[in-house]
Amino acid sequence: MPPHRVGRIVLAALLASPAGALAQSLPTGPIRAMDGELLVNGEAVATIGAADDVAFFNYTDYAHNALRLFRISVSGAWQPARRLAFVGELRSEDLEQPRAYAAYVRVRPWVERQFDIQAGRIPPTFGVFSRRAYTTDNPVIGYPLAYQYLTSIHPDAVPAIAEDLTRMRARGWLSTFPVGNPEPGPGVPLVSAFRWDAGVQAHWHSGIFDAAGAVTAGTLSDPHAADNNRSPQLSGRVAVEPAVGLILGTSAAHGAWLSKNVARILPGDRHASDYAQQAYGADAEYSRDHWLLRSELVWSRWRLPFATTAPDGVDLDALAAWVEGRYKLTPRVSLGFRADRLGFSNVTTAASTLSWDAPINRAEAALSYAIQRNLTAKVAVQKNDRDAGRVHRRTYIAGQLAYWF
Amino acid sequence: MPLPRPPRLWLALALSAVALVQIAAAQQRVPVRRPGTGTIRGSVEFKVAPPGPDRRVNPAGMAMPGALDASDRRRSVVYLDPAPRAAFDAREEPHVRLDQRDEQFVPHVLAIVAGTVVDFPNNDRTYHNVFSLSKTRSFDLGRYATGRSKAIRFDQPGIVRVFCDIHSHMSAFILVFAHRYFALTDEDGRYHIDNVPPGSYTVVAWNEAMPSESGRVQVADAGGEVELSFRFEKR
């Protein structure tokens, strides 16, 4: 049975069940075991939208559409001591084989100090959306372009000339380049919200200040459980909360993003570390009464070689910015919105100068209804506008049912 | 010669001391026992302790979550069902508090008579968003900062589950009664319901984690005390 059909059946079953019956039969909080040392909770999210095999605006890879997805996740934490915890999360999308989204050990060296070290497949340090991508914290259904939209570039294949790159504009869902891996595959987003990186992270909090730094195997756009180029990424974020409800943060990251398999076939003595992704981000959140407003800005630069004409590489820049918000109309009903823009720098080909990928604008509005505290129904309208590709404009309507415990 | 004005700090301290003395006196006040009425007293015990509050596991978090106080999960409410007819005569509009402190609602269980106004002060250095989707009383207070308080009046009897929209581990129960023949157990599980008119009653013990238990008592015509204890056997 196709996964989307299974999702539809689950969605229909959930909708057909009276809320009271659901409340009595489903857990409403974490399941505890081992005297509370082990906690397990989960989330099931069914998102139903129209099929899209032409425009691919919301694809997170070639197989998954963020507006047409059934996702189950189970999170667990075992804390055998006050200073030590093991944390993990398993996820299955469209009923596929579950995979470890998070798996790390957390250590607090001094119990009284808010300083923690985490090692393993750790949460992202850069920005904020990746750490709040859970359905309950998303005012709409879709994802911000910086964290979801697939640009055309790959870590394991590169263009020979600039035209190879511009030919792939708006084809990030399945692009191909002549040097390196010849198989067509999805490109990378600015920051991946769908995979977490492996490494070590330190986090410190004191008063109004919050800081985190990490060393990881992959990069923002291509996180890895195992290293693919023997060159780590450094990332960090500093945030301040000058007033209750106002949080301002800034992030930075730098790491080699190109696979060593590609770097070593380039002319000359090239190393993967010659081709870095660097990124800077700024984020802000303000909330008061029934309002919640957030904004984030991500600038990313990849060093990409054109194997024939520029093996040293050229800088490809991308800038994403969005504003999102939520207003609670009643205890059960909320309105959400996001306005989003992703733009790209220019490259020069023999014939013209144009942006290396197609700029895109997105606007989304959502209406959310809390059937019960941990069961929410949402409907959203999302409008996309791109200046290249087979489809330039498309509006999607999607519905979502999310349950968590 | 004009008297020097007392510094504002001293004035505030003096007023606070007066207020504290009054609060302490009110807490120690022994209920006036009406003649010809009885008291139902006893205890509520547990074979297995109710589970404490648990934070949801948040793999995206970067810090060790703090421990939560589990002691008030043993607090139970004991009440008469049905209540004597005289119970519905009183007409008051008391105020009570349900604090938001250390990312918990304090107290975790509140038993009030219909018409009571509950204040929800925020005593944390972070936002909270108190809300309830209960049929008895649905409300959403929005986000407000330290030192501020919002109030809700509860007119309809029933159980109101209260949550925080920001911190999913925060929860509280407000039991709203149409009468005043109810009591919240103390730290040792003891309770007493005073001024109960003579008659035969069903007494119910409620705890959030247990199926309710009930028992019958007879309050004699001359009043006096009746003992009835409960033990929650299963979860």
Side-chain angles (χ1 to χ4, degrees):
Chain A
M1 188 182 293
H4 65 269
R5 191 172 296 174
V6 176
R8 221 177 277 173
I9 291 168
V10 173
L11 182 66
L14 285 170
L15 286 171
S17 308
L22 278 171
Q24 288 169 11
S25 57
L26 297 174
T28 56
I31 297 169
R32 54 162 36 214
M34 300 166 66
D35 231 8
E37 283 185 6
L38 177 65
L39 294 175
V40 176
N41 49 239
E43 184 182 84
V45 183
T47 306
I48 304 296
D52 174 17
D53 51 6
V54 181
F56 296 96
F57 279 109
N58 284 280
Y59 273 67
T60 61
D61 55 40
Y62 186 57
H64 300 103
N65 181 345
L67 296 189
R68 191 177 165 83
L69 193 70
F70 180 62
R71 190 182 70 218
I72 297 175
S73 63
V74 177
S75 305
W78 177 45
Q79 189 173 355
R82 285 180 71 189
R83 298 162 183 256
L84 178 68
F86 298 88
V87 183
E89 179 177 345
L90 283 175
R91 273 193 184 191
S92 168
E93 293 181 341
D94 291 336
L95 299 180
E96 292 169 356
Q97 178 95 8
R99 59 186 172 85
Y101 191 71
Y104 58 86
V105 59
R106 177 187 290 151
V107 177
R108 174 166 283 194
W110 300 279
V111 172
E112 301 305 324
R113 292 188 188 170
Q114 294 190 58
F115 176 76
D116 299 88
I117 297 169
Q118 305 191 134
R121 194 148 206 174
I122 52 175
T125 306
F126 185 96
V128 281
F129 186 84
S130 297
R131 292 192 303 281
R132 64 162 73 115
Y134 293 78
T135 311
T136 49
D137 208 18
N138 189 351
V140 293
I141 294 179
Y143 284 66
L145 292 165
Y147 287 86
Q148 172 262 312
Y149 188 77
L150 301 172
T151 66
S152 60
I153 56 176
H154 289 205
D156 59 354
V158 296
I161 55 175
E163 282 78 356
D164 293 335
L165 177 65
T166 54
R167 201 177 296 126
M168 291 294 133
R169 294 173 86 237
R171 289 188 56 182
W173 48 273
L174 198 66
S175 55
T176 179
F177 295 108
V179 180
N181 184 354
E183 292 295 318
V188 295
L190 275 63
V191 187
S192 175
F194 298 90
R195 274 183 294 151
W196 285 4
D197 220 339
V200 180
Q201 179 180 58
H203 172 257
W204 170 76
H205 181 87
S206 179
I208 62 170
F209 297 101
D210 193 274
V215 182
T216 54
T219 53
L220 299 182
S221 58
D222 188 30
H224 278 278
D227 194 10
N228 68 338
N229 55 21
R230 293 180 189 163
S231 185
Q233 173 187 257
L234 299 175
S235 59
R237 178 175 183 265
V238 177
V240 61
E241 190 174 359
V244 176
L246 176 64
I247 302 169
L248 304 170
T250 180
S251 307
H254 187 282
W257 76 285
L258 205 61
S259 164
K260 65 178 188 294
N261 296 333
V262 178
R264 68 178 167 217
I265 60 174
L266 293 170
D269 185 21
R270 312 284 173 189
H271 300 280
S273 57
D274 298 334
Y275 308 98
Q277 179 191 7
Q278 56 178 312
Y280 298 98
D283 56 85
E285 174 180 315
Y286 181 67
S287 58
R288 186 173 180 171
D289 295 329
H290 296 96
W291 277 103
L292 170 64
L293 290 171
R294 293 170 178 153
S295 184
E296 199 167 342
L297 185 136
V298 178
W299 175 87
S300 176
R301 168 173 288 174
W302 293 268
R303 187 82 180 161
L304 177 75
F306 295 155
T308 304
T309 54
D312 286 342
V314 295
D315 289 331
L316 305 181
D317 296 350
L319 179 66
W322 75 93
V323 179
E324 65 180 27
R326 190 188 69 191
Y327 180 74
K328 267 193 166 184
L329 292 169
T330 74
R332 291 186 188 273
V333 180
S334 302
L335 278 176
F337 75 92
R338 181 181 298 129
D340 206 349
R341 160 86 182 166
L342 173 59
F344 302 92
S345 60
N346 288 339
V347 290
T348 301
T349 66
S352 63
T353 296
L354 71 172
S355 61
W356 64 269
D357 206 333
I360 176 170
N361 295 317
R362 174 180 287 174
E364 186 171 351
L367 183 70
S368 173
Y369 180 80
I371 298 165
Q372 61 185 54
R373 179 199 176 213
N374 58 341
L375 180 64
T376 307
K378 206 182 275 183
V379 61
V381 180
Q382 185 196 82
K383 185 174 181 298
N384 294 271
D385 190 341
R386 182 172 58 195
D387 79 350
R390 281 184 283 181
V391 176
H392 286 220
R393 291 180 187 82
R394 178 153 283 187
T395 299
Y396 301 95
I397 296 175
Q400 185 180 73
L401 198 64
Y403 160 76
W404 59 265
F405 67 92
Chain B
M1 183 179 166
L3 288 171
R5 284 174 60 188
R8 285 185 181 176
L9 177 63
W10 286 109
L11 187 61
L13 283 174
L15 289 172
S16 302
V18 170
L20 281 173
V21 167
Q22 286 184 337
I23 290 168
Q27 285 177 341
Q28 290 176 355
R29 198 174 294 150
V30 178
V32 179
R33 184 154 303 155
R34 294 184 197 138
T37 63
T39 294
I40 303 170
R41 65 170 65 243
S43 64
V44 177
E45 295 174 348
F46 297 85
K47 183 181 179 186
V48 180
D54 291 319
R55 293 178 195 268
R56 290 191 80 217
V57 178
N58 177 18
M62 291 194 280
M64 195 78 83
L68 298 170
D69 180 18
S71 59
D72 59 359
R73 300 295 160 127
R74 298 177 69 89
R75 291 288 181 98
S76 304
V77 177
V78 183
Y79 61 94
L80 303 190
D81 185 27
R85 184 172 295 174
F88 305 97
D89 294 344
R91 283 282 180 269
E92 289 180 35
E93 292 184 4
H95 263 263
V96 295
R97 287 166 63 104
L98 191 62
D99 280 350
Q100 302 150 67
R101 191 189 308 153
D102 299 330
E103 291 190 11
Q104 295 200 80
F105 288 112
V106 182
H108 176 65
V109 179
L110 204 57
I112 59 173
V113 67
T116 300
V117 175
V118 178
D119 293 314
F120 293 90
N122 181 2
N123 293 307
D124 275 337
R125 287 184 181 177
T126 181
Y127 267 148
H128 292 298
N129 188 152
V130 186
F131 78 99
S132 175
L133 301 177
S134 300
K135 287 177 184 171
T136 302
R137 188 69 167 92
S138 172
F139 62 90
D140 189 310
L141 298 182
R143 298 172 181 223
Y144 50 96
T146 311
R148 286 193 60 201
S149 181
K150 292 190 178 182
I152 291 286
R153 181 185 158 115
F154 294 85
D155 287 319
Q156 191 181 329
I159 297 178
V160 181
R161 289 209 69 178
V162 180
F163 297 104
C164 173
D165 196 29
I166 301 169
H167 306 98
S168 65
H169 54 273
M170 288 178 67
S171 73
F173 285 85
I174 300 176
L175 278 71
V176 187
F177 291 93
H179 56 80
R180 53 186 61 256
Y181 292 96
F182 59 85
L184 195 64
T185 58
D186 63 18
E187 291 167 359
D188 301 321
R190 303 286 305 173
Y191 77 91
H192 60 90
I193 304 173
D194 298 312
N195 298 320
V196 181
S200 180
Y201 300 102
T202 298
V203 185
V204 180
W206 175 95
N207 181 277
E208 66 174 277
M210 310 286 171
S212 292
E213 296 280 339
S214 64
R216 295 286 295 176
V217 294
Q218 177 76 40
V219 177
D221 289 344
E225 290 193 353
V226 186
E227 184 87 12
L228 179 64
S229 292
F230 298 90
R231 181 175 165 83
F232 288 115
E233 294 286 345
K234 54 191 172 187
R235 195 185 293 174

